[in-house]
Amino acid sequence: MLGKFFKKPADDMGGRVPPGQTLTTRFPVLTYGPTQHYAPQDVVIRVTGLADEKTLTWADLMALPQTTLTYDIHCVTHWSKLDTTWTGVRVVDLMEHLQLKPGATHVMQHSVGGYTTNLSLEDFTRPENLLAHTFDGQPLDAEHGGPLRLVVPHLYFWKSAKWLTGLEFMAADRPGFWEKNGYHMRGDPFIEERYDDD
C-alpha cells in the first residue's frame, strides 16, 4: 500500500516535507463523522464570542476579494501533498470586515455536524490562510470540506476545518474535538506536534 500511493521522500525537499511524513499525489479523505452535503447557497458563517456578532452568507463571501494560492498540506496521519492550489477568501481580507473585542486571543472553528478545532489568533490570521471553496480549479468536493472550509497550511490539516459554519473568538485557548481526544493544541508539523504529550 505504501509503495502504491505514498512515497517516502529521499530528503526534506528543501525544508518542504516535515519529519515523519510520506508524499502522496492522491488526496486522502479523513473525516470525523459522515460527509456533509449541502449547497453553496446554504453556507452561513456566524461570528460570535469576543467580536461584534455577524452572519456571513455565501453571497457575502463571494463579494469579498478572491485569492488563489498554492502550498503544501500535511496530515497528522503522516501524509503530505505538495503544490495544492486553493481559491477563496483570505482570512486577512475577512478580518477587515470583523470587529474584535478587547482580549480576543484565540478562535474556535465550528462546522456542520458539531466538529470544532481551535487556533490562536496569530495562527488564524496568517496571510496564506483561506476560507476556501475551490481546489485545483474546481468547486471543492463535499468529501474534502466543500462548499467551504478553512485552509491553514502551516499546521496539521485537522486544524483546517471542513464545512465551516462559525468562528467563535475567545479570550483563552480551548480544545476542540480532536484536541479533547489526545491531539496537540497547536499542531505544528515541522516539530511533530501530533499528540498532547509531544
Side-chain angles (χ1 to χ4, degrees), residues 2 8 40 67 138 184 192:
L2 180 64
K8 282 197 173 289
T67 300
Q138 299 296 320
H184 199 275
E192 295 196 85

Side-chain angles (χ1 to χ4, degrees), residues 15 22 44 57 66 73 75-76 92 105 114 120 130 142 147 152-153 170 181:
T22 58
V44 175
T57 66
Q66 304 296 306
I73 56 175
C75 184
V76 72
V92 291
T105 61
S120 71
L130 289 175
V152 181
M170 307 181 295
N181 286 281

Side-chain angles (χ1 to χ4, degrees), residues 135-153:
F135 175 74
D136 218 9
Q138 299 296 320
L140 186 59
D141 289 341
E143 65 185 3
H144 292 304
L148 189 76
R149 74 176 298 159
L150 193 65
V151 179
V152 181

Side-chain angles (χ1 to χ4, degrees), residues 132-168:
H133 52 72
T134 298
F135 175 74
D136 218 9
Q138 299 296 320
L140 186 59
D141 289 341
E143 65 185 3
H144 292 304
L148 189 76
R149 74 176 298 159
L150 193 65
V151 179
V152 181
H154 73 288
L155 299 179
Y156 283 122
F157 219 46
W158 93 81
K159 293 292 188 176
S160 298
K162 298 178 177 181
W163 314 303
L164 193 66
T165 62
L167 298 169
E168 177 192 356

Side-chain angles (χ1 to χ4, degrees), residues 43-47 54-61 64 94 97-98 131 167:
V43 168
V44 175
I45 306 297
R46 291 183 173 84
V47 177
K54 193 178 186 80
T55 299
L56 297 157
T57 66
W58 180 259
D60 294 330
L61 294 169
L64 295 176
L94 174 69
H97 299 270
L98 304 184
L131 279 75
L167 298 169

Side-chain angles (χ1 to χ4, degrees), residues 13-14 41 51 73 100 138 145 169 171-172 188 193:
M13 300 184 68
Q41 59 265 28
I73 56 175
L100 300 191
Q138 299 296 320
F169 291 91
D188 184 336
E193 291 178 335

Side-chain angles (χ1 to χ4, degrees), residues 15 29 59 109 121 126 171 178 193 198:
V29 177
Q109 303 169 59
L121 202 55
R126 286 172 58 130
W178 285 117
E193 291 178 335
D198 288 334

